[in-house]
Amino acid sequence: MTDTVTLPDSSRRLWLTAACVTGGAGIVATSVPFVVSMAPSERARAFGAPVEVDVGPIKPGELRTVEWRGKPVWVLRRTTDMLGSLRSHDDLLSDPQSSRRGQQPDYARNDLRSLKPDITVLVAICTHLGCIPTFRPEPGAADIGASWPGGFYCPCHGSKFDFAGRVFKNVPAPSNLEVPPHHYTGESTLLIGEGPPD
Ligand code: FES
């Protein structure tokens, strides 16, 4: 039922290219190149099977991209500095408390938007028009701005998200990045696609 799919860089680039070329066509169109080439087990995964990820080997500051339901999903192990930055810029965010429903499960409606403090799990699709943001962890990046604390930057129309996927004010994206249902079935085993058992 479960197995890990780590996308090669070439796939991620293709997703980004397709998303930006199609612009407003959005998520469905960007997924087409993958769906048509999928083997039967891959199709089953695309239509909802949970995806298991071993987060143990993910180093602090490292981002992995996996596929769930035909979407790219990020798994980032945040560093101490990244966690510290999340507590310093609430006034710059549109929805710092994740008060808008539908963008995360209830168990991720906390200040870090995660079950474990260091591990964040986010659907890697911009909430504006569906491009794939880029991972830009470097604070003060010259092309983004001196006040940039690091996070995810969408190159299509300039939306910015922090290391918890919270959207900044005054950008086109209307809401935080989606946190997909997930839980841990072991110390380092993450299951994306299902929330914690009741
Ligand atoms: S798709 Fe427009 S800012 Fe991301």
Side-chain angles (χ1 to χ4, degrees):
M1 169 184 77
T2 59
D3 52 353
T4 301
V5 181
T6 300
L7 298 177
D9 284 349
S10 57
S11 295
R12 293 167 58 194
R13 277 195 299 274
L14 178 58
W15 231 314
L16 174 59
T17 302
C20 289
V21 167
T22 54
I27 299 166
V28 172
T30 62
S31 300
V32 167
F34 297 89
V35 173
V36 295
S37 62
M38 285 176 177
S41 62
E42 292 171 316
R43 277 200 297 273
R45 186 166 54 234
F47 288 109
V51 174
E52 191 175 274
V53 181
D54 180 7
V55 300
I58 302 177
K59 300 181 181 67
E62 184 181 347
L63 180 79
R64 296 268 177 97
T65 305
V66 302
E67 182 186 352
W68 170 67
R69 290 191 174 177
K71 304 176 193 176
V73 174
W74 287 322
V75 181
L76 168 67
R77 187 183 292 279
R78 293 176 288 206
T79 64
T80 303
D81 284 350
M82 289 174 176
L83 291 170
S85 85
L86 293 176
R87 299 191 169 94
S88 64
H89 55 243
D90 277 12
D91 55 325
L92 302 178
L93 303 173
S94 282
D95 183 16
Q97 305 305 321
S98 298
S99 55
R100 278 177 220 153
R101 297 199 173 267
Q103 294 308 114
Q104 62 282 310
D106 284 347
Y107 48 83
R109 289 184 76 209
N110 51 56
D111 54 346
L112 299 176
R113 303 185 79 222
S114 62
L115 285 171
K116 289 179 183 270
D118 57 338
I119 300 285
T120 187
V121 185
L122 298 167
V123 174
I125 295 175
C126 181
T127 54
H128 180 219
L129 292 175
C131 286
I132 310 292
T134 54
F135 182 42
R136 297 297 305 273
E138 65 280 21
D143 59 326
I144 304 179
S147 63
W148 174 240
F152 303 95
Y153 177 76
C154 185
C156 290
H157 312 98
S159 289
K160 304 172 194 173
F161 307 87
D162 70 7
F163 290 119
R166 298 178 299 176
V167 67
F168 285 78
K169 294 175 181 170
N170 304 316
V171 300
S175 53
N176 296 339
L177 295 177
E178 179 187 350
V179 177
H182 66 282
H183 72 287
Y184 294 86
T185 58
E187 183 60 33
S188 67
T189 307
L190 167 67
L191 194 65
I192 299 172
E194 287 180 3
D198 295 330

